[in-house]
Amino acid sequence: MGERKGVNKYYPPDFDPAKHGSLNKYRHSHPLRERARKLSQGILIIRFEMPYNIWCDGCKNHIGMGVRYNAEKKKVGNYYTTPIYRFRMKCHLCVNYIEMQTDPANCDYVIVSGAQRKEERWDPQDNEQVLATEHEEKKKLETDAMYRLEHGATDQGKLQRALPTLSNIQEAQSAWKDDFALNSMLRRKFREEKKVLQEEEEKDQALQAKANLSIPLVREAEEDRRLATLLTYRSPDSYEDKQKQKRTEISSRSWFPSAKAGDALKLPGLGTKTSSSPAPCDHLGIVRRRPTDVPRGLASLGDATETPCALPTSPTAGPSGPPHSLVPDYSGSGSDSDGE
């Protein structure tokens, strides 16, 4: 950005490259422009990004990791040959200023004032991370032979404990060594699965079109197949089987129908022969009389013309009562009979 502003296509008429050297010197401006307004004090304005989560002491609000500020950067010391820089920035939620500086010894940032760090740290040694060798330990390794021997034995023990894990990692890496073959195998598998899915989709569409279904079909499961094998479906008889069964029934049936009790038997020319059930006696002109009331001369005639009609039994008459007889009533034709 500064270079784009300092270098342009317009050069004033009184500009002398041998005298001024550059347009920045001609205009008495710094290439960083406003960012270098405190450069005389050793302060440079930079864009600083919050390295971890903090709590502001002024407004007690949380400031997340990655929030950016315009911070004043200046050098405050050295860790051996590594410079230590301090950053001063204003909170975007209040008027409080936050100061942080680098910690080269621990490869971290520390808060000087204005905020509190949200503790989310862990011990690198417990986390089995690679630790940087301290300066004192490094110096001791160079000067003390016994300490170097003990340190070497400790490193050998760590190596022996880590060998199984390293072997597993190497085997896993060797399985993925041939990238082309693995890629070809994976793409071949994808093509086969895609072909199977297309065939299943075509079958589902054909079934939906045949059954006129508009609902999506789910894939078959092993439980569904097992239940389907337990079911038995019996197809109905065909047309030929039904015709054969009907012919068999007709051939085994009697030619003459069997007469049932109470049915009327119709014969040609003879009318209808009623069943054995008696007809009402009132329609025949027959009067029921006792045997004592019948004349002597007509006793034989009454016996001959007696009709076995079923008469209602008196509820008071017992089984040993006198039998009833039916004789014709000739009371209306008595004069004719006497004349004869």
Side-chain angles (χ1 to χ4, degrees):
M1 183 66 72
E3 183 181 358
R4 182 182 64 81
K5 293 180 180 179
V7 180
N8 50 43
K9 297 181 180 180
Y10 177 74
Y11 290 89
D14 55 347
F15 175 75
D16 186 4
K19 178 180 178 181
H20 301 100
S22 65
L23 288 176
N24 291 324
K25 291 183 179 180
Y26 173 78
R27 296 176 179 175
H28 304 285
S29 63
H30 195 274
L32 300 179
R33 299 300 176 126
E34 295 297 327
R35 293 174 54 192
R37 63 179 182 270
K38 296 183 179 181
L39 196 59
S40 59
Q41 305 175 14
I43 298 174
L44 179 65
I45 308 298
I46 65 166
R47 194 70 173 164
F48 182 79
E49 185 173 336
M50 194 62 63
Y52 42 74
N53 298 323
I54 65 172
W55 302 93
C56 179
D57 289 343
C59 57
K60 305 301 180 181
N61 287 321
H62 176 265
I63 300 175
M65 180 177 60
V67 180
R68 296 181 179 181
Y69 295 95
N70 293 328
E72 298 178 356
K73 172 186 174 182
K74 65 178 180 180
K75 183 179 177 180
V76 295
N78 289 315
Y79 176 75
Y80 298 103
T81 58
T82 304
I84 299 175
Y85 295 101
R86 181 172 294 181
F87 307 93
R88 186 173 185 267
M89 66 207 82
K90 180 178 175 295
C91 178
H92 66 287
L93 300 174
C94 62
V95 296
N96 181 46
Y97 280 87
I98 303 172
E99 291 188 5
M100 304 178 67
Q101 72 179 23
T102 58
D103 185 10
N106 299 319
C107 301
D108 199 2
Y109 289 87
V110 295
I111 299 175
V112 179
S113 62
Q116 295 180 0
R117 181 172 182 173
K118 184 179 180 180
E119 288 297 337
E120 298 175 339
R121 291 175 288 185
W122 58 87
D123 189 2
Q125 188 173 2
D126 295 341
N127 199 30
E128 297 183 358
Q129 291 183 352
V130 179
L131 302 177
T133 306
E134 297 289 342
H135 181 71
E136 291 81 3
E137 186 177 359
K138 185 177 180 180
K139 186 176 181 180
K140 193 174 182 180
L141 286 172
E142 293 176 354
T143 56
D144 192 348
M146 294 301 297
Y147 182 77
R148 183 169 60 251
L149 182 61
E150 293 176 358
H151 193 274
T154 305
D155 293 343
Q156 289 293 331
K158 291 181 180 179
L159 178 61
Q160 293 298 327
R161 290 192 298 270
L163 276 178
T165 304
L166 294 176
S167 301
N168 294 335
I169 294 175
Q170 289 177 355
E171 290 178 0
Q173 290 179 349
S174 62
W176 295 90
K177 187 175 181 180
D178 193 355
D179 299 338
F180 178 77
L182 292 174
N183 190 15
S184 301
M185 182 177 63
L186 185 62
R187 292 177 66 86
R188 189 183 308 111
K189 183 179 179 181
F190 285 164
R191 286 194 296 268
E192 294 175 357
E193 292 179 355
K194 185 178 180 181
K195 185 177 180 180
V196 172
L197 292 176
Q198 289 180 353
E199 293 178 356
E200 292 180 356
E201 186 177 359
E202 291 177 358
K203 291 181 180 178
D204 294 345
Q205 291 179 358
L207 180 60
Q208 288 177 346
K210 182 178 180 180
N212 195 14
L213 296 176
S214 60
I215 58 176
L217 302 179
V218 297
R219 300 186 63 180
E220 294 182 359
E222 187 64 28
E223 185 68 17
D224 299 337
R225 296 190 184 96
R226 189 180 66 83
L227 292 177
T229 55
L230 298 177
L231 299 177
T232 303
Y233 295 96
R234 183 177 181 182
S235 60
D237 297 336
S238 61
Y239 177 77
E240 291 78 4
D241 296 339
K242 291 182 179 180
Q243 292 295 329
K244 184 177 180 181
Q245 183 179 3
K246 189 178 295 185
R247 293 191 187 97
T248 305
E249 292 177 357
I250 293 173
S251 61
S252 62
R253 191 171 57 190
S254 176
W255 286 13
F256 304 99
S258 60
K260 297 182 180 180
D263 293 342
L265 181 60
K266 295 182 179 181
L267 296 176
L270 297 179
T272 303
K273 183 178 181 181
T274 58
S275 62
S276 60
S277 60
C281 297
D282 295 340
H283 299 283
L284 301 177
I286 299 175
V287 180
R288 182 182 62 193
R289 290 184 179 180
R290 295 180 179 274
T292 57
D293 299 336
V294 180
R296 291 180 178 271
L298 299 177
S300 60
L301 182 62
D303 295 339
T305 59
E306 184 177 337
T307 304
C309 294
L311 299 177
T313 306
S314 175
T316 58
S320 61
H324 298 279
S325 61
L326 297 178
V327 294
D329 186 6
Y330 297 101
S331 59
S333 59
S335 58
D336 299 334
S337 63
D338 293 340
E340 292 177 357

